[in-house]
Amino acid sequence: MRSTTRQRLLGHIGALLLGCAALAARATPVTTTDVTGAPGQPVDVVFDIDFGTLTQMSSFQFSLDWDPTLLSLTGASVTQGGTPFDALSALSSNGLLSTATSGNPQLTATWFAIDPATFAQLPPLALTGSVRLDFSFDLARDFPAGASSPVALSLVWSDENGFQPIDPQVEATALVSTASIPETPTAWLVLMALALLVRSRTGPRSHAG
């Protein structure tokens, strides 16, 4: 009896481990590139997410975080397979969408495949191929020269069966930097000063006559 119970327990543990491994394997590739800008000027931070042949979501939680003292979000766009589309309108029309700004993280969005009027379950969101998220920021005018500030994206979802892993399937961070101001070497300044001094002493002089 104890042997049978133990075997069942081991079977449950094995199934749990296999399920965790399967969920972990669903981590989705994402790429981004660090950008360099100038204080007071705009930059675009781009995240490319590859959802493969088919990724279905019954819900998701999205977040984007940045330092609001150094960066100001001015706009965002979404393209799928190179074609722009209105993500907010599509999500609102096919489920229950909730967004929040100026928090911690700075921007969050939560979506459920649920009819907002009847709370009936709706078909899952289906994504294929590459989706590009492009966020436009203005750098603060007092953004320190040579400094960097991160923009962090996180996305976690439940699949069509309602399973959701502990860790986000998508996590990525891009750095927004300003160029360093090159310092003039001290030795070069000394040479320039000496050259000016010699020139002032050996320059042409006016003669009476």
Side-chain angles (χ1 to χ4, degrees):
M1 185 71 178
R2 291 182 179 179
S3 177
T4 302
T5 303
R6 183 179 179 183
Q7 288 178 352
R8 288 179 179 175
L9 180 59
L10 290 175
H12 290 317
I13 294 175
L16 178 61
L17 292 175
L18 287 174
C20 291
L23 290 175
R26 296 181 186 181
T28 301
V30 56
T31 58
T32 186
T33 303
D34 298 339
V35 295
T36 301
Q41 298 299 312
V43 295
D44 283 306
V45 178
V46 176
F47 297 91
D48 289 309
I49 306 174
D50 185 2
F51 289 102
T53 56
L54 177 62
T55 297
Q56 298 188 81
M57 304 179 185
S58 59
S59 67
F60 71 73
Q61 293 92 41
F62 167 87
S63 70
L64 188 73
D65 201 18
W66 65 91
D67 185 346
T69 65
L70 297 177
L71 298 170
S72 298
L73 182 67
T74 59
S77 64
V78 182
T79 58
Q80 183 173 11
T83 302
F85 72 97
D86 188 342
L88 290 179
S89 176
L91 292 171
S92 299
S93 301
N94 295 278
L96 180 62
L97 177 66
S98 174
T99 62
T101 58
S102 301
N104 187 17
Q106 293 297 312
L107 174 64
T108 59
T110 303
W111 180 86
F112 296 92
I114 295 176
D115 188 318
T118 64
F119 293 99
Q121 190 73 34
L122 296 176
L125 177 67
L127 296 173
T128 60
S130 177
V131 173
R132 168 166 289 192
L133 307 179
D134 188 335
F135 300 96
S136 299
F137 290 92
D138 280 344
L139 278 68
R141 295 189 179 276
D142 58 351
F143 200 118
S148 297
S149 185
V151 177
L153 178 146
S154 175
L155 176 63
V156 60
W157 64 83
S158 300
D159 65 13
E160 66 276 16
N161 298 313
F163 293 108
Q164 177 177 313
I166 297 175
D167 297 323
Q169 289 99 323
V170 174
E171 281 187 309
T173 300
L175 291 179
V176 178
S177 307
T178 52
S180 301
I181 299 176
E183 296 182 2
T184 305
T186 304
W188 178 246
L189 290 176
V190 172
L191 289 175
M192 289 181 62
L194 289 174
L196 292 173
L197 179 61
V198 170
R199 184 175 181 180
S200 66
R201 290 185 175 183
T202 60
R205 299 179 180 179
S206 61
H207 298 277

